[in-house]
Amino acid sequence: MTDKTIHKTIIIGSGPAGLTAAIYAGRANLKPIVFEGNQPGGQLTITTDVENFPGFPDGVMGPEMMDLFRNQAKKFGAECFFKHVTKVDFSSKPFKVYVGDEEFLSETVILSTGASARMLGLEAEKDLMGYGISTCATCDGYFFKDKEIVVVGGGDSAMEEASFLTKFAKKVTIIHRREVFKASKIMLERARNNPKIDIMVNKSILDIKGNQKDGVSSIILKDAIDGKETVFNCEGVFYGIGHIPNTDFLSMFLDVDENGYIITKADSTRTNIDGVFACGDVQDSHYRQAITAAGSGCMAAIDAEKFLENLE
Amino acid sequence: MSEKSVKITDENFQELVLESEKLVIVDFWAEWCGPCKALAPILDKICDEFGDKVLVGKVNVDEVKQAPVNYGIRSIPTLLFFHNGEIVRQEVGLQSEQALIDSVNQVIS
Ligand SMILES: Cc1cc2nc3c(=O)[nH]c(=O)nc-3n(C[C@H](O)[C@H](O)[C@H](O)COP(=O)(O)OP(=O)(O)OC[C@H]3O[C@@H](n4cnc5c(N)ncnc54)[C@H](O)[C@@H]3O)c2cc1C
């Protein structure tokens, strides 16, 4: 399918940033097209309670909140598609956005592709992701009742994940490649005091062994000090090593910083390409909250609207 | 849960899944799983698209104890495609409608 219409705005991503941009762009009559990507609703769809989003004094479930965002966007004319953008071409106008062979044209593009869990980059991840390797404790912890598992990482999110997983697992071992932790003192203490949590420092994971049928059986660790390799038996490996912005397919056209985050101009969502705007976690390595993502989504839609007005 | 799919339990697994003459897509899901909820309407569309050729069965992992263990489920949503009692394909995580249509076509052709 190739759609010859030149849209006013295409929004790539459907987290709080993208869907808020869709609400504003819809109300401004821009008839936004939203490509939701392979995680419709974004990162909040893999969490449970969201307790810090204003307007929900009793908390709200992440997936439910994102359904509300989407309904509100659709109400104002946004069209949402469960499609993952594979390529863009911002070298000429109208901009081109591709989903496989399908081509879409637009006068402006709002980038809100957020961030994804960082991987270790092991060959085994291809085979074992979802079969014993996980990036989501709240999603997959349930399947590790009374099992021995490890959590990789040394920051707050790894500590939180480890504590959460003790609800299910027999034992949780935190594996950290350094001696010093990024985690806050409180979180680290909480993990240290939990009888079900062990902490191993100066160890990096060289390989994860297992198969799709039986899951993970062990990991191979390398000691940072003496270089020795050891085998550690476990049935699950949970990653808590942070997030990376989803800019792989964009970085050829857009200025990104050394960590891959899109660089926006001061006090705006404008990027180095006129007519392309970025909002949410994809351009924010600092705040990374639903409310800040939504706020910048609103800014992007207003910036896009102004840009279109100036063209006329 | 939708009308288009059938509820699978440990008791009816043998009859409805393993002994079925058509392709059965078994969806392992739970109430607390956001991506599972997003997958449900897509599976309904698969039912519409393939009609009689495909049966979608739902296993609620909170209620059904044995099947998730037997099939080594470690993440949801997981889809297992059964044909003549054997697993012919499996997909972990949310799938787009097109990806699922392609998967079904590959298996039934
Ligand atoms: C477990 C967890 C719990 C959290 N809890 C909270 C909390 O309680 N409160 C809070 O404020 N924040 C919380 N956060 C942070 C919050 O989820 C993020 O800050 C927020 O979701 C960022 O929104 P976003 O719209 O920028 O991107 P994301 O939510 O990351 O959404 C990105 C979107 O882009 C899409 N996408 C990516 N690539 C493509 C592509 N190529 N084509 C099309 N679409 C694409 C994805 O499908 C997705 O829809 C939590 C995060 C996690 C992981």
Side-chain angles (χ1 to χ4, degrees):
Chain A
M1 178 185 116
T2 288
D3 169 10
K4 287 270 188 293
T5 325
I6 300 178
H7 297 286
K8 285 202 160 22
T9 193
I10 287 180
I11 298 169
I12 309 180
S14 56
L19 291 176
T20 303
I23 293 168
Y24 275 79
R27 284 175 58 85
N29 249 330
L30 303 184
K31 302 197 172 56
I33 301 292
V34 182
F35 292 129
E36 297 209 26
N38 47 25
Q39 189 176 52
Q43 291 170 60
L44 286 182
T45 58
I46 62 164
T47 188
T48 48
D49 268 317
V50 177
E51 298 188 322
N52 52 11
F53 201 88
F56 298 95
D58 302 320
V60 54
M61 298 301 264
E64 201 174 299
M65 183 166 99
M66 295 322 297
D67 281 346
L68 295 172
F69 270 59
R70 187 182 297 100
N71 292 345
Q72 196 169 349
K74 282 185 172 165
K75 181 173 153 192
F76 296 116
E79 279 194 85
C80 301
F81 300 94
F82 184 9
K83 288 182 190 286
H84 198 78
V85 173
T86 48
K87 202 173 77 176
V88 293
D89 183 353
F90 296 157
S91 62
S92 61
K93 300 262 179 91
F95 299 126
K96 299 186 186 75
V97 172
Y98 297 89
V99 177
D101 300 335
E102 297 174 81
E103 182 186 88
F104 302 87
L105 307 173
S106 187
E107 286 176 55
T108 64
V109 175
I110 294 176
L111 303 169
S112 50
T113 48
S116 302
R118 186 190 294 279
M119 303 282 155
L120 289 170
L122 305 173
E123 197 56 32
E125 287 164 358
K126 290 200 189 91
D127 260 5
L128 296 175
M129 189 54 69
Y131 297 91
I133 303 180
S134 172
T135 56
C136 178
T138 46
C139 318
D140 302 335
Y142 180 87
F143 299 101
F144 294 85
K145 278 183 197 145
D146 300 321
K147 305 238 149 96
E148 282 228 10
I149 60 182
V150 302
V151 170
V152 195
D156 276 347
S157 61
M159 301 303 128
E160 198 174 321
E161 208 157 292
S163 301
F164 175 81
L165 287 166
T166 57
K167 283 203 238 170
F168 307 101
K170 183 162 69 188
K171 203 179 111 210
V172 179
T173 305
I174 296 173
I175 311 244
H176 183 39
R177 65 194 160 119
R178 278 192 272 270
E179 185 133 13
V180 191
F181 284 85
K182 255 203 211 153
S184 59
K185 243 186 166 163
I186 296 198
M187 296 294 287
L188 188 57
E189 275 316 299
R190 202 175 290 165
R192 285 215 166 104
N193 293 333
N194 189 321
K196 276 181 150 185
I197 297 180
D198 261 5
I199 299 182
M200 278 170 106
V201 294
N202 290 324
K203 298 269 192 270
S204 52
I205 299 187
L206 289 186
D207 199 5
I208 301 173
K209 302 282 183 196
N211 59 54
Q212 293 197 345
K213 191 168 161 289
D214 304 310
V216 165
S217 54
S218 64
I219 55 178
I220 314 291
L221 295 173
K222 184 177 177 179
D223 192 282
I225 297 176
D226 60 17
K228 273 203 192 118
E229 292 181 19
T230 46
V231 179
F232 186 88
N233 293 329
C234 62
E235 292 180 74
V237 182
F238 285 79
Y239 287 4
I241 47 176
H243 284 80
I244 47 166
N246 297 319
T247 48
D248 269 1
F249 71 111
L250 300 167
S251 50
M252 163 182 182
F253 294 99
L254 289 178
D255 289 347
V256 297
D257 71 10
E258 69 276 12
N259 295 315
Y261 289 91
I262 297 175
I263 299 170
T264 50
K265 305 218 162 114
D267 301 321
S268 80
T269 60
R270 286 180 296 132
T271 66
N272 59 304
I273 298 177
D274 271 349
V276 177
F277 306 90
C279 52
D281 281 14
V282 75
Q283 50 85 53
D284 168 22
S285 60
H286 187 58
Y287 301 103
R288 294 184 301 170
Q289 295 299 305
I291 185 73
T292 49
S296 70
C298 154
M299 289 164 63
I302 292 175
D303 287 347
E305 188 191 356
K306 281 269 142 44
F307 175 86
L308 289 165
E309 267 170 21
N310 289 338
L311 286 185
E312 278 160 16
Chain B
M1 206 172 73
S2 94
E3 310 271 312
K4 290 172 182 155
S5 49
V6 294
K7 192 168 171 166
I8 303 291
T9 61
D10 284 328
E11 290 69 39
N12 67 18
F13 203 97
Q14 175 73 26
E15 181 197 344
L16 293 183
V17 178
L18 300 179
E19 288 167 15
S20 168
E21 310 225 304
K22 39 182 157 176
L23 177 69
V24 187
I25 304 177
V26 181
D27 172 24
F28 291 83
W29 71 286
E31 277 298 338
W32 41 263
C33 162
C36 298
K37 290 198 168 153
L39 185 60
I42 295 167
L43 285 170
D44 282 350
K45 288 194 191 148
I46 294 297
C47 295
D48 294 340
E49 174 93 15
F50 290 96
D52 262 357
K53 288 193 210 132
V54 174
L55 178 75
V56 172
K58 301 264 194 178
V59 174
N60 180 336
V61 299
D62 282 325
E63 294 167 3
V64 181
K65 294 295 162 205
Q66 210 47 53
V69 176
N70 291 352
Y71 291 99
I73 303 304
R74 289 177 187 81
S75 179
I76 51 172
T78 286
L79 298 177
L80 298 183
F81 292 55
F82 285 87
H83 202 214
N84 299 324
E86 305 220 350
I87 298 174
V88 289
R89 193 181 180 98
Q90 61 193 71
E91 304 285 353
V92 177
L94 187 55
Q95 309 286 315
S96 71
E97 186 183 347
Q98 193 54 50
L100 269 179
I101 290 175
D102 293 346
S103 295
V104 175
N105 277 329
Q106 270 187 31
V107 173
I108 58 180
S109 66

